[in-house]
Amino acid sequence: MSNTTWSRFFEGSDLFCLIAEVDGQICGIAHCIYHYSTTSIKKSCYLNDLFTIGNLRGQGIGKALIAAVYARALKEGAARVYWHTNHSNVNARALYDQVADYEGFIVYKHILP
């Protein structure tokens, strides 16, 4: 799965990756995908993964990555950026509440065979 995902970042698909570095070391990543929606003419940008190395959390890396995603999505003509998180992810939600609006949605899924 990792090899397939990484190849998609470089093959011109609607999937992209942004990285954050501190002192030349990768310390955070954001994986996103553009897609169409039935509620907008413009594409939406789904922030699929946001990760910061544990000992560097709380230093603004996640916030900077989200800002970079916003900038890229705006440049690409997207109408919105959105993501999901677990309601119990208190630390991440403290950041998310600063940079986006919580709309109260509950997510359901069904894994296909």
Side-chain angles (χ1 to χ4, degrees):
M1 187 67 235
S2 293
N3 288 338
T4 299
T5 298
W6 281 100
S7 68
R8 288 176 179 161
F9 291 138
F10 300 104
E11 70 182 15
S13 73
D14 284 331
L15 186 66
F16 69 92
C17 175
L18 300 177
I19 63 168
E21 294 180 307
V22 171
D23 298 327
Q25 298 293 315
I26 294 175
C27 60
I29 58 171
H31 297 154
C32 301
I33 187 164
Y34 293 114
H35 67 87
Y36 289 105
S37 166
T38 59
T39 61
S40 175
I41 293 173
K42 295 181 178 183
K43 289 183 181 180
S44 292
C45 179
Y46 178 64
L47 175 55
N48 194 75
D49 296 305
L50 180 69
F51 178 78
T52 302
I53 293 195
N55 64 326
L56 297 176
R57 290 183 181 150
Q59 298 184 23
I61 296 165
K63 191 173 192 175
L65 280 166
I66 292 171
V69 170
Y70 288 171
R72 172 125 177 213
L74 180 64
K75 180 180 175 186
E76 297 291 328
R80 69 181 181 141
V81 175
Y82 73 104
W83 59 93
H84 298 105
T85 194
N86 193 290
H87 71 279
S88 66
N89 193 352
V90 177
N91 292 334
R93 290 188 68 194
L95 166 62
Y96 301 159
D97 287 342
Q98 294 175 35
V99 299
D101 297 321
Y102 171 61
E103 295 185 332
F105 285 97
I106 298 171
V107 177
Y108 292 88
K109 74 176 179 181
H110 173 79
I111 305 297
L112 299 172

